[in-house]
Amino acid sequence: MHMCTPRRLLVLLSMIPVLLLVGVLLSGIPPRYKDVRSYERHLPQHNTTEARAERRKYIRFPDHLWGHGLNNILQESLLMSYIAYASGRAYVFEDYTWSHLPLPYTIYDFALRPTRIPLNSFISGPTAGGPMDNSHVPRAISSEFWNEVCPPEKRRIIHARDSPYEADGPVLVEWWKDHLAGLEDECIEVDEKERRVVDKYFFGGPRLTALFPSLSISPILASFTWSPLVLSALARNFALLRPTNPSSLFASSTPQAPPPILSGLVAIHLRRGDYKRHCPRLAAWGSTYMGFNSFPSLPDKFDPMQFNVTWQPASPAPGADLQFADNNDPEALKKVEAYYLEHCLPDIDQVVVRLRKVREDNPDLRRVYVLTNAWSWWLGSLAKALKKDGWEELVTTLDMELDSEQSWVSMAVDMAIAERAEVFVGNGFSSLTANIVMLRMAKGLTAASNRFL
Ligand SMILES: *[C@@H]1O[C@H](CO)[C@@H](O)[C@H](O)[C@H]1NC(C)=O
């Protein structure tokens, strides 16, 4: 017996990696988007003969963000492609990159996750190589094609460290435009290792919104659309979305053809999960609504100053995060924390009250779509509470019928729905919400149709 036990233990131990592997594989093997990759390779601008003959000018930002959520990547690539457009250079677009492993998958949350997804799986339009309407600026190219037409010896490397990275959006873009105008090189590569083109606060505040008037009429935003893969997921779920006119679900929404509204539908962004940790931190940092969520024309304002609480830098280092000052009244602190949670991580009763108020302002609303990463049991309780309050139906991210290529871009699918909803109720601290608000404003939907929790 006692000879056997250690051996058994060893066998059992050696089983653990096998069991883990089986667990990971059970969650499925993600798609490789070979079809979308091939589509990108065959974009008309990816013709070496023509590109060489025309001596097109390119700009690439190889130190682009990776390993971040879709909306941080989207914010950055829209801004960089706008700088490229303003400078008359073709933008070099990149894969949505989760990891630089030289493998198609990595492991995340006990499941396989694609290391790279071609950008055209998420978006179409000028940033992803789509046509630039009425513009002399050449179409964006993929980083793969860049390697072909711009081999290392042809690249001129310039540094972002000299740029006014703390300036307002329009000043920043103007600087890049002037700076690049003097350069005749076909292949410009921007080195951001020392300093990025914009600092980490840029997308959080008014320096970005100052850019909106020019950005929104440029092809970058005016011709932005979700990818056909994303729009196909909307069409597939027509029965859940119930458009007045079903063909409207196929329409990509450009300003020439604004998105047909899903009337009667309010889309609400309820991010939970990591926000349970994040929202209390936002209170301690004294954060306000991010970027496009702070447009002056939006009806719902966030004002933590009303509680007479003060914040101080957490350390003497420049640019340090804030924290609550030591001399605050504990009662006021409690109030301000509750205020942040109500607008960032509302409980079910608070969501019901909020949606009731939004329906009072928009009496045609009948159905709710929830963009969420919440557990289904929580959404079940929410559905019950909302039905009791007179809502006809609740549909959530989890109800969507998606194939494997669609499910890895499901965040974009959610966003396309929110972009078309009659009213959108966002989370003011979220970049996903900020991007939806930006798109709705760019398509000319009223500011009043964008609300916050
Ligand atoms: C690339 O462009 C050239 C010149 O316009 C054309 O002859 C050739 O067929 C194109 N190649 C491809 C693969 O489309």
Side-chain angles (χ1 to χ4, degrees), residues 41-44 46-51 53-54 56:
R41 286 191 180 130
H42 289 94
L43 283 169
H46 289 163
N47 178 324
T48 323
T49 326
E50 274 181 14
E54 289 173 21
R56 290 180 200 145

Side-chain angles (χ1 to χ4, degrees), residues 39 120-124 225-234 406:
Y39 166 82
N120 279 271
S121 315
F122 295 96
I123 64 170
S124 296
T225 90
W226 298 105
S227 75
L229 178 65
V230 169
L231 296 175
S232 74
L234 263 62
Q406 290 164 341

Side-chain angles (χ1 to χ4, degrees), residues 58-79:
Y58 305 101
I59 184 165
R60 184 178 184 205
F61 300 87
D63 303 317
H64 62 94
L65 279 185
W66 58 277
H68 280 67
L70 172 65
N71 281 286
N72 299 108
I73 308 279
L74 204 54
Q75 280 174 337
E76 188 189 63
S77 34
L78 288 174
L79 177 68

Side-chain angles (χ1 to χ4, degrees), residues 114-159:
T115 44
R116 294 161 166 272
I117 297 180
L119 190 61
N120 279 271
S121 315
F122 295 96
I123 64 170
S124 296
T127 304
M132 287 264 187
D133 290 342
N134 308 322
S135 164
H136 59 285
V137 180
R139 287 169 69 158
I141 60 164
S142 68
S143 50
E144 190 180 87
F145 188 70
W146 154 273
N147 284 329
E148 212 171 296
V149 288
C150 290
E153 65 274 12
K154 273 185 84 176
R155 296 176 197 167
R156 168 152 182 186
I157 296 172
I158 61 173
H159 292 267

Side-chain angles (χ1 to χ4, degrees), residues 147-420:
N147 284 329
E148 212 171 296
V149 288
C150 290
E153 65 274 12
K154 273 185 84 176
R155 296 176 197 167
R156 168 152 182 186
I157 296 172
I158 61 173
H159 292 267
R161 63 174 171 239
D162 311 320
S163 71
Y165 69 106
E166 286 179 308
D168 273 357
V171 175
L172 189 92
V173 172
E174 207 53 37
W175 186 90
W176 278 100
K177 196 174 144 184
D178 290 345
H179 193 61
L180 291 165
L183 301 177
E184 281 309 311
D185 310 69
E186 282 166 54
C187 305
I188 298 278
E189 185 173 297
V190 179
D191 184 324
E192 296 182 84
K193 283 176 198 73
E194 261 174 74
R195 177 171 287 159
R196 303 196 66 80
V197 171
V198 290
D199 64 12
K200 67 171 180 174
Y201 300 109
F202 183 81
F203 293 107
R207 288 189 286 146
L208 171 65
T209 42
L211 209 51
F212 184 77
S214 50
L215 178 63
S216 60
I217 54 168
S218 77
I220 300 300
L221 216 47
S223 302
F224 173 93
T225 90
W226 298 105
S227 75
L229 178 65
V230 169
L231 296 175
S232 74
L234 263 62
R236 167 67 187 84
N237 289 279
F238 73 99
L240 289 178
L241 300 175
R242 289 205 219 136
T244 320
N245 175 357
S247 72
S248 68
L249 283 185
F250 296 97
S252 56
S253 55
T254 62
Q256 294 85 1
I261 292 304
L262 291 165
S263 53
L265 186 73
V266 54
I268 181 169
H269 180 206
L270 296 177
R271 179 156 168 185
R272 318 247 341 145
D274 57 328
Y275 264 41
K276 285 180 193 142
R277 284 192 312 274
H278 188 55
C279 295
R281 265 189 239 146
L282 291 169
W285 292 335
S287 302
T288 51
Y289 283 174
M290 121 167 315
F292 289 116
N293 297 337
S294 58
F295 265 127
S297 57
L298 296 175
D300 300 324
K301 312 285 179 211
F302 185 74
D303 174 27
M305 293 302 160
Q306 60 181 299
F307 299 100
N308 292 322
V309 162
T310 51
W311 285 266
Q312 67 191 21
S315 83
D321 289 324
L322 297 182
Q323 63 184 21
F324 289 123
D326 301 328
N327 57 353
N328 280 309
D329 169 19
E331 282 306 308
L333 275 187
K334 261 189 214 156
K335 275 189 197 152
V336 82
E337 277 169 350
Y339 181 68
Y340 269 88
L341 287 185
E342 180 188 351
H343 295 281
C344 185
L345 194 75
D347 61 26
I348 287 178
D349 292 339
Q350 286 169 330
V351 175
V352 171
V353 170
R354 189 70 192 118
L355 281 176
R356 193 186 299 152
K357 168 80 176 79
V358 170
R359 186 175 49 190
E360 275 162 21
D361 299 341
N362 305 270
D364 291 340
L365 296 178
R366 265 180 293 283
R367 308 172 65 240
V368 183
Y369 183 83
V370 185
L371 298 76
T372 191
N373 59 350
W375 296 103
S376 64
W377 58 264
W378 189 82
L379 293 169
S381 313
L382 178 66
K384 249 188 230 154
L386 285 175
K387 277 198 182 147
K388 221 170 121 191
D389 204 52
W391 293 92
E392 227 170 69
E393 195 181 12
L394 181 83
V395 180
T396 80
T397 305
L398 305 183
D399 299 318
M400 297 288 282
E401 200 66 64
L402 303 175
D403 70 21
S404 71
E405 282 202 353
Q406 290 164 341
S407 38
W408 285 95
V409 299
S410 70
M411 187 177 277
V413 174
D414 267 356
M415 291 174 74
I417 295 171
E419 189 196 358
R420 288 160 171 73

